[in-house]
Amino acid sequence: MTLRRIDAFRAVMLTGTATEAAKMLGVTQPAISRLIADLEAEFEMKLFERAGRRVIPTEEAKILFEEVRRAFFGLERIKDTALAIRNYRYARLRIVALPSIAATIAVDIIRVFSERHPSTFVSLEVEPSDSAVEWIISQQCDLGLASPPKENPAIAARTVAAGPSVCLLPAGHRLAGEPLVVPEMLAGESFISFRPDSIYRFKVDEIFRQAGVERVLKFEARTTDAVCGLVAQGLGVSVVGPFLPRSVEADGLVLRPFEPAPQVELSLLWSSQRPMSAIARTFVEVIDDYFSRPTP
């Protein structure tokens, strides 16, 4: 197995075609096809099915790609470290955050931290809670902001924020003046959900299932920011956690208490297997300041 073959495989997985993969690596399309064929022969398994110009990865290819992705992450980290040493800015932080807060809370905190420590390199990864825990355990990230993890001796965690979910409505919605929204009021409404791999999505769906309420499920998104954007466009209503973008009021969105409201906790995660670096402790101070300030 050669790195060149793995390079070709990764490029095809990322671009979806041998032609685009060839452009990405600066080689010819036949060269990519030959490298993939050699890799399939070496592994004795099919990695792609052909569909016109595009290629469709097999299930085996998808599993293999996860391992390749992790390996390339390690290579890129070595490169980043070398550049940081050369540029006299070795101080670095790798943060992993839930998709629901990545574009809101996480970027807010990074902005404040960067104002105080402009020379520190900060990388933000966006992963669901289970993956965030794995990134911390494997020490690919220094700190995480995610749902409270299951007990694990390799992970340390503490809650930094908690609160009840709310009903999110577009301006002018018939329920905008209600003091409280319950599941029955949303029967037949176009409802904007989080993606199916979200634990929060499961909790919300379970509330409506137990209430026997049918919604129209036409839209879903991965982040709270995106859900708010869809609601602001009048495409439906939603139930979201309390950690909302600062643009909610500017977008004309209406928040109403919702019962039964899923409680949402946000935890700070770090590895219990190594001491926290000085720069990571400074970032934690910024997190604590952020959540201790009054809500605007």
Side-chain angles (χ1 to χ4, degrees), residues 70 128-141 155:
R70 281 191 282 269
S129 284
D130 288 347
S131 296
V133 168
E134 291 175 8
W135 282 61
I136 298 294
I137 291 174
S138 63
Q139 299 186 10
Q140 295 180 67
C141 284
I155 284 284

Side-chain angles (χ1 to χ4, degrees), residues 278-292:
I279 200 68
R281 290 196 298 272
T282 302
F283 194 85
V284 170
E285 291 173 5
V286 175
I287 291 174
D288 290 339
D289 288 347
Y290 181 90
F291 288 109
S292 65

Side-chain angles (χ1 to χ4, degrees), residues 36-48:
I36 293 300
D38 290 344
L39 194 63
E40 289 179 327
E42 182 177 354
F43 289 159
E44 297 182 351
M45 64 182 177
K46 196 79 170 171
L47 295 175
F48 298 99

Side-chain angles (χ1 to χ4, degrees), residues 72-100:
F72 268 81
F73 178 88
L75 292 173
E76 289 167 3
R77 188 167 184 178
I78 292 170
K79 179 183 175 183
D80 288 345
T81 300
L83 288 172
I85 294 171
R86 186 189 71 186
N87 296 326
Y88 305 101
R89 54 174 182 80
Y90 187 68
R92 55 173 53 250
L93 271 176
R94 293 188 181 273
I95 311 299
V96 59
L98 286 175
S100 58

Side-chain angles (χ1 to χ4, degrees), residues 11-12 14-26 29 32 53-54:
V12 173
L14 291 173
T15 63
T17 71
T19 301
E20 292 301 315
K23 291 179 184 177
M24 180 177 174
L25 297 182
Q29 183 269 328
I32 292 292
R53 293 183 59 197
R54 299 196 65 80

